Each structure stands twice: as structure tokens, then as C-alpha cells.
């Protein structure tokens, strides 16, 4: 009797373990679906939803015009986008399950959302590994290929998404292969050729975020990239081409840029460009003398303190440590003062952190190559407190149709900053990236603060002359 019970318990336990293992396998398989499998799912959805989409064919045709690369359609595209956004703004917000009826705006942001579930499409926005040296010669990084393809395919108009599927199917039949079974090395040229047939290529950016470090650059990029006509590198990477990797050539640079058509804006941000002496001339030579720039600035003293703290956090992350053991505000303050002041007690102008806050010195070099009207100067306190105002100014500066509304910017009390609220569930109330405070803020005396203020004051006034703007911190 006892052996019989043990045998039954063993059977039940074995069945439970087998069921658990099978569930884990199914979940992990669904979470690790490749871009190719998601693509096939989208293609099947596109073909199976003909009846549902036929009722909104006119609206789809309007949306397709927005992605048309023909230059003669640019003016009509701008008018159409404005019309769709205005109609959406005036429409009611009543829904079946409390969801917004802003259908036009949803489709502008994600034309394939009805076929890709939020969990699947969100995977395209997760952080990649840091193997930046794994390049196919001078082509796109292996670990970025699937994400670039997914990001680009998600933003294709409906007719082009279907045409992509048809072309891919014909290629598979002709070459007797399955796209989903190919390696990234073989997958990339096939998909890239199909995209190029629609006028989508990896082009050099016509908008650059050049700095300044720790002055609201991440927040600005996070908000502006939500515009349906602005594209950024996958995972919004800082490519560091004009400061670190320039010797690798322009092909290396273009390989990591987003795939765009002629009417879209390619935006790349690397704050180190602002303090790189050779960046202005190289940008004018390799990109265009007509390139536009975003320059974010902040109180020089506050920026220097934040920069010091950021560098300490980066060092900890490289050592795979989550917290600075034994660090206090006072100890960090002492280390900061030792770094920015000389032995005689004067401000060390050659210190990297001190020099980065000398905006006038660096901006003069940029104005020797580019005109003042090619720069949009963004104040960090404004992007932090009134982001809608700043982003609207950016839309006018870039000459793109207005897309953003004030209610899209929501202040999150728990995160203590503004976030972007969209009707797309996968990025609902998404916030700019912010590292956890693993290092305390340096605490310095008023005497040191005043020394720094006195040092920066003439440079601040010169920066005001160069920009034609006033800053609250220039005369402190």
C-alpha cells in the first residue's frame, strides 16, 4: 500500500514537472521570436485583414502619402499631416474600453500595431549588448540588424508593408530559401535591397544633437523622436563618429544610422561633438554645410557637478558595481574640488569638466563653419519644466508639421520628471532614460561655487553675445 502511494505521488510529481517545463519552453519561444517570424506574422495579418482594412482604405491612402519619398509630394504631405492631426485633436475621446479614438495619430506612429502585439513590437526598443566591435567589415553591427529591420518595417505604410512581404516571398521562391533561417549576415542585404526599392536608405543625418553633455540632451531626443517624421539610430545610440571613430570612414557611420526616405529627418545625437575641435569641419565636409543642430545648455556650475557625478557612475558600471561604497556628499565634494581647482586654489581651465562648461569657447569654433540660424539653442531648465514649449519650437525650427499636443507631456511625481504619454500602449507614459543615483551629489562650499561663478561669468556673457539670447545663470 505504501509503495502504491509512492508510485502515485511519483507519477503526479513527474506530470507536474513535465507540464512546468513545457510551459517555460513555450513562453521562452514566444519571447524570443526573431524579426523574421514577426515579419511573417505581420504579412499574414495583412493578407487576412483585407475586409477590415477595406473600410478604412481612404485613410490608409492618406497615410501612405506621408511616407512617399517623391519631392513633389512634400507640400501635400505636410498639409495632409496637419489635416489629420487637426481632425484628431477635434475628435472626441470616447472609447469602448476607455482607449482613445485618436486613430490617425496611432497609425502615423505605428501602422502595423494591429498585427504586432505590444510585447512583440516593444522588443525592438530594448537595449542591445555593447559589442560595438562586431562589425561585418564596415557594415551594420550584427546585433543591430534585426532591430533596425523591425523598427523600419513597423513604420512602413500599409501598401509598402504588403509589397515588402510579396517581394520577400518571391525571393524565397526564386532562391529556394527561408528568410527566417538566414543569419544576420545573409538577411541584411536582402531586406536592405527591398527597402531601397521603396526609397528607404541609411542616409547621413540632416539633424545633429551636438551637446552639451548633462544639459537635457537625452530628454530632448526622447521627446522629439516621437514625431512620425523623425528617425533616430536603433536604441537611440550615441554613435561617436566625429569624435572617436572618424578614421573608420563614412560607411561605418551610415551603417548604424536609421533607414529613412527622402521626406523624413534622420537625427543622431552625440554630446561629445560640441567639444571636439575637428567635428565642425568634418561634419560640413562629410554631411552638408546646411546641416541643422540642436545644442542644449545648462548652468555651467550645475552642469560640471552633474558631469562629475555621471563619470563616477559610468566607472562603477564598468566595474559592474551598483553603488559607490563609502562615498558621501562630502567626500565627493572634496574629490570634485581637487579635480577642478589647481594647487594654488584657482579654477583649472584645462580640466575637461571645467572646459566643457565654457560654452563660448567651443561655440565660436562652430560659428566659423556654420551660421547661427542653423542652431537651435535649448535651455535645460525649459526642457525639464516646459517640454511642450521646447518641442514646438523644434518643430518650427525643423519646418515639420506640428504633431505634439500639450497633454502628451505628463509630469510623473514618482519619477520627478516629465514623460511622454502616447496612445500606443507599448510606450505609454515613457520617460527619458535616467541612471539610478548610485553616487551622491558632490557637496561643495559657497567659496568654491563663487570661484566657479567668477570664472564662468565673462564666458557666459560672451556666449549670450554669440547666441543673441539671455540666460538666467549668465550673471550669477
Amino acid at each position: 500500500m505504501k509503495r502504491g502511494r509512492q508510485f502515485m505521488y511519483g507519477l503526479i510529481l513527474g506530470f507536474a514537472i513535465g507540464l512546468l517545463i513545457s510551459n517555460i519552453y513555450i513562453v521562452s519561444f514566444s519571447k524570443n521570436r526573431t524579426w523574421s517570424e514577426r515579419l511573417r506574422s505581420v504579412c499574414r495579418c495583412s493578407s487576412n485583414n483585407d475586409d477590415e482594412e477595406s473600410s478604412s482604405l481612404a485613410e490608409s491612402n492618406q497615410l501612405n502619402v506621408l511616407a512617399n519619398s517623391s519631392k513633389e509630394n512634400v507640400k501635400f504631405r505636410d498639409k495632409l499631416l496637419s489635416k489629420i492631426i487637426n481632425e484628431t485633436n477635434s475628435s472626441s475621446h470616447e472609447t469602448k474600453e476607455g482607449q482613445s479614438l485618436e486613430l490617425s495619430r496611432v497609425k502615423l506612429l505605428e501602422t502595423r500595431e494591429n498585427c504586432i502585439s505590444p510585447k512583440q513590437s516593444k522588443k525592438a526598443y530594448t537595449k542591445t549588448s555593447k559589442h560595438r566591435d562586431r562589425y561585418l567589415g564596415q557594415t551594420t553591427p550584427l546585433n543591430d540588424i534585426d532591430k533596425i529591420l523591425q523598427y523600419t518595417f513597423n513604420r512602413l505604410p500599409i501598401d509598402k508593408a504588403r509589397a515588402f512581404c510579396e517581394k520577400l516571398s518571391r525571393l524565397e521562391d526564386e532562391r529556394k530559401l527561408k528568410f527566417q533561417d538566414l543569419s544576420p549576415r545573409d538577411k541584411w542585404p536582402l531586406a536592405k535591397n527591398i527597402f531601397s526599392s521603396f526609397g528607404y536608405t541609411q542616409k547621413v543625418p540632416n539633424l545633429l544633437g551636438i551637446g552639451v553633455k548633462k544639459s537635457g540632451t537625452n530628454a530632448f531626443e526622447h521627446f522629439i523622436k516621437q514625431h512620425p517624421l523623425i528617425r533616430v539610430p536603433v536604441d537611440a545610440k550615441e554613435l561617436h563618429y566625429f569624435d572617436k571613430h572618424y578614421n573608420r570612414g563614412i560607411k561605418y557611420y551610415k551603417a548604424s544610422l536609421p533607414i529613412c526616405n527622402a521626406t523624413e529627418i534622420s537625427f543622431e545625437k552625440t554630446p561629445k561633438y560640441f567639444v571636439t575641435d575637428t567635428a565642425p569641419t568634418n561634419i560640413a565636409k562629410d554631411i552638408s554645410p546646411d546641416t541643422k543642430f540642436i545644442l542644449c545648455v545648462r548652468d555651467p556650475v550645475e552642469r560640471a557637478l552633474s558631469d562629475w557625478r555621471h563619470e563616477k557612475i559610468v566607472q562603477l558600471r564598468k566595474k559592474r558595481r551598483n553603488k559607490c561604497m563609502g562615498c558621501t556628499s562630502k567626500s565627493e565634494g572634496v574629490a570634485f574640488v581637487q579635480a577642478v581647482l589647481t594647487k594654488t586654489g584657482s579654477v583649472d581651465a584645462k580640466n575637461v569638466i571645467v572646459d566643457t562648461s565654457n560654452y563660448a569657447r567651443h561655440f565660436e569654433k562652430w560659428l566659423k563653419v556654420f551660421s547661427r540660424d542653423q542652431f537651435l539653442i535649448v535651455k535645460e531648465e525649459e526642457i525639464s519644466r516646459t517640454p511642450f514649449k521646447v518641442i514646438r519650437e523644434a518643430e518650427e525650427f525643423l519646418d515639420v508639421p506640428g504633431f505634439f499636443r500639450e497633454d502628451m507631456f505628463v509630469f510623473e511625481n514618482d519619477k520627478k520628471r516629465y514623460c511622454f504619454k502616447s496612445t500606443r500602449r507599448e510606450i505609454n507614459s515613457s520617460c527619458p532614460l535616467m541612471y539610478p543615483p548610485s553616487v551622491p551629489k558632490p557637496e561643495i562650499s559657497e567659496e568654491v561655487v563663487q570661484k566657479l561663478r567668477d570664472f564662468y561669468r565673462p564666458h557666459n556673457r560672451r556666449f549670450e553675445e554669440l547666441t543673441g539670447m539671455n540666460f538666467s545663470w549668465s550673471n550669477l
Side-chain angles (χ1 to χ4, degrees), residues 49-67 81 84-85 88 100-115 125 151-159 161-162 200 226-229 231 264 403 408 422-426:
N49 290 342
D50 287 342
D51 294 337
E52 296 178 5
E53 291 180 355
S54 61
S55 61
S56 60
L57 185 59
E59 183 181 14
S60 300
N61 290 334
Q62 286 183 332
L63 294 170
N64 293 342
V65 174
L66 298 175
L81 179 56
I84 290 175
I85 293 172
T88 305
S100 174
L101 284 178
E102 296 175 292
L103 185 58
S104 299
R105 184 176 285 105
V106 172
K107 287 192 175 182
L108 285 172
L109 291 167
E110 193 71 80
T111 59
R112 309 309 307 160
E113 186 182 20
N114 60 333
C115 290
Y125 297 92
Y151 176 77
T152 308
F153 183 80
N154 282 353
R155 290 174 174 261
L156 282 178
I158 295 172
D159 62 334
R162 288 178 172 173
Y200 288 77
Q226 311 298 337
H227 196 288
L229 297 179
R231 305 285 180 264
E264 295 172 336
F403 167 75
M408 289 179 170
S422 171
T423 53
R424 288 186 298 170
R425 283 172 287 176
E426 71 269 21

Side-chain angles (χ1 to χ4, degrees), residues 210 212 271-280 295 297 303 349-370 375 456 459 462-463 466:
I210 58 174
V212 178
K272 196 70 179 292
Y273 292 164
F274 182 65
V275 296
T276 302
D277 293 341
T278 58
L295 178 63
V297 293
R303 195 219 66 81
K350 295 182 179 180
N351 179 273
V352 175
I353 292 178
V354 173
D355 180 63
T356 302
S357 290
N358 188 348
Y359 308 139
R361 189 180 84 81
H362 297 291
F363 195 50
E364 284 179 333
K365 294 180 295 185
W366 287 86
L367 291 181
K368 291 178 181 178
V369 182
F370 304 100
F375 295 85
Y456 284 122
H459 302 295
R462 176 59 179 160
F463 186 62
L466 294 173

Side-chain angles (χ1 to χ4, degrees), residues 30-245:
S30 63
K31 285 186 177 180
N32 291 291
R33 294 176 67 193
T34 64
W35 175 82
S36 309
E37 292 166 335
R38 291 197 294 268
L39 169 63
R40 291 190 174 280
S41 174
V42 172
C43 294
R44 285 197 297 271
C45 285
S46 296
S47 61
N48 292 336
N49 290 342
D50 287 342
D51 294 337
E52 296 178 5
E53 291 180 355
S54 61
S55 61
S56 60
L57 185 59
E59 183 181 14
S60 300
N61 290 334
Q62 286 183 332
L63 294 170
N64 293 342
V65 174
L66 298 175
N68 196 316
S69 61
S70 174
K71 291 184 178 179
E72 62 191 25
N73 284 327
V74 172
K75 292 184 179 179
F76 178 66
R77 177 210 67 185
D78 292 350
K79 291 181 180 179
L80 181 57
L81 179 56
S82 300
K83 178 183 176 182
I84 290 175
I85 293 172
N86 290 335
E87 290 175 353
T88 305
N89 287 337
S90 61
S91 64
S92 66
H93 291 260
E94 298 177 358
T95 62
K96 289 183 179 180
E97 298 178 357
Q99 297 178 352
S100 174
L101 284 178
E102 296 175 292
L103 185 58
S104 299
R105 184 176 285 105
V106 172
K107 287 192 175 182
L108 285 172
L109 291 167
E110 193 71 80
T111 59
R112 309 309 307 160
E113 186 182 20
N114 60 333
C115 290
I116 302 179
S117 66
K119 289 184 179 180
Q120 293 168 344
S121 61
K122 186 175 181 179
K123 189 174 181 181
Y125 297 92
T126 58
K127 277 287 179 183
T128 57
S129 59
K130 294 185 178 180
H131 304 301
R132 294 291 295 159
D133 55 340
R134 295 181 57 195
Y135 274 80
L136 311 176
Q138 285 187 334
T139 58
T140 300
L142 282 168
N143 56 309
D144 285 356
I145 286 178
D146 276 344
K147 293 190 175 188
I148 292 176
L149 296 181
Q150 174 73 17
Y151 176 77
T152 308
F153 183 80
N154 282 353
R155 290 174 174 261
L156 282 178
I158 295 172
D159 62 334
K160 286 185 172 59
R162 288 178 172 173
F164 186 100
C165 294
E166 293 171 0
K167 285 194 174 187
L168 185 61
S169 179
R170 286 198 299 270
L171 278 174
E172 288 181 325
D173 293 338
E174 291 172 2
R175 303 189 185 186
K176 297 181 180 180
L177 52 82
K178 288 186 177 181
F179 187 82
Q180 63 182 11
D181 296 335
L182 297 177
S183 66
R185 184 189 298 272
D186 298 323
K187 191 185 300 181
W188 177 242
L190 292 178
K192 192 175 179 182
N193 287 337
I194 298 177
F195 282 131
S196 63
S197 67
F198 302 142
Y200 288 77
T201 58
Q202 284 180 300
K203 65 178 184 179
V204 292
N206 37 11
L207 177 65
L208 281 171
I210 58 174
V212 178
K213 182 181 177 185
K214 306 310 296 177
S215 299
T217 58
N218 281 339
F220 179 87
E221 180 187 44
H222 181 79
F223 294 136
I224 199 65
K225 73 180 181 181
Q226 311 298 337
H227 196 288
L229 297 179
I230 294 178
R231 305 285 180 264
V232 298
V234 63
D235 292 330
K237 288 181 179 178
E238 295 177 3
L239 301 183
H240 290 280
Y241 175 65
F242 291 102
D243 64 304
K244 290 183 180 179
H245 306 300

Side-chain angles (χ1 to χ4, degrees), residues 297-362:
V297 293
R298 181 182 184 180
D299 180 335
V301 177
E302 290 297 324
R303 195 219 66 81
L305 289 167
S306 180
D307 195 356
W308 169 269
R309 190 183 190 188
H310 174 78
E311 288 301 318
K312 290 293 293 288
I313 293 174
V314 171
Q315 292 174 14
L316 287 175
R317 293 177 66 213
K318 288 180 179 179
K319 297 177 182 179
R320 297 184 179 181
R321 292 164 56 186
N322 296 326
K323 192 173 182 180
C324 181
M325 303 302 295
C327 295
T328 63
S329 295
K330 289 186 178 180
S331 66
E332 289 303 303
V334 171
F336 173 81
V337 171
Q338 291 174 348
V340 301
L341 299 184
T342 64
K343 293 180 180 180
T344 60
S346 60
V347 176
D348 185 2
K350 295 182 179 180
N351 179 273
V352 175
I353 292 178
V354 173
D355 180 63
T356 302
S357 290
N358 188 348
Y359 308 139
R361 189 180 84 81
H362 297 291

Side-chain angles (χ1 to χ4, degrees), residues 327-452:
C327 295
T328 63
S329 295
K330 289 186 178 180
S331 66
E332 289 303 303
V334 171
F336 173 81
V337 171
Q338 291 174 348
V340 301
L341 299 184
T342 64
K343 293 180 180 180
T344 60
S346 60
V347 176
D348 185 2
K350 295 182 179 180
N351 179 273
V352 175
I353 292 178
V354 173
D355 180 63
T356 302
S357 290
N358 188 348
Y359 308 139
R361 189 180 84 81
H362 297 291
F363 195 50
E364 284 179 333
K365 294 180 295 185
W366 287 86
L367 291 181
K368 291 178 181 178
V369 182
F370 304 100
S371 63
R372 169 64 182 89
D373 59 4
Q374 290 177 249
F375 295 85
L376 176 65
I377 312 295
V378 176
K379 299 177 182 179
E380 184 271 342
E381 60 268 27
E382 290 186 353
I383 193 66
S384 300
R385 300 170 188 171
T386 56
F388 172 68
K389 175 178 175 289
V390 173
I391 298 302
R392 285 292 292 159
E393 290 176 358
E395 288 180 320
E396 295 177 4
F397 173 72
L398 299 174
D399 195 24
V400 295
F403 167 75
F404 296 96
R405 302 188 326 269
E406 191 167 4
D407 62 348
M408 289 179 170
F409 301 88
V410 180
F411 187 81
E412 298 285 352
N413 291 319
D414 57 333
K415 298 176 181 178
K416 298 180 180 179
R417 62 186 184 275
Y418 274 93
C419 299
F420 184 80
K421 184 177 182 181
S422 171
T423 53
R424 288 186 298 170
R425 283 172 287 176
E426 71 269 21
I427 64 164
N428 186 37
S429 190
S430 62
C431 301
L433 179 64
M434 182 177 289
Y435 294 116
S438 54
V439 176
K441 183 178 179 179
E443 183 180 315
I444 59 177
S445 65
E446 283 297 323
E447 181 184 356
V448 175
V449 172
Q450 196 58 48
K451 282 186 178 182
L452 291 170

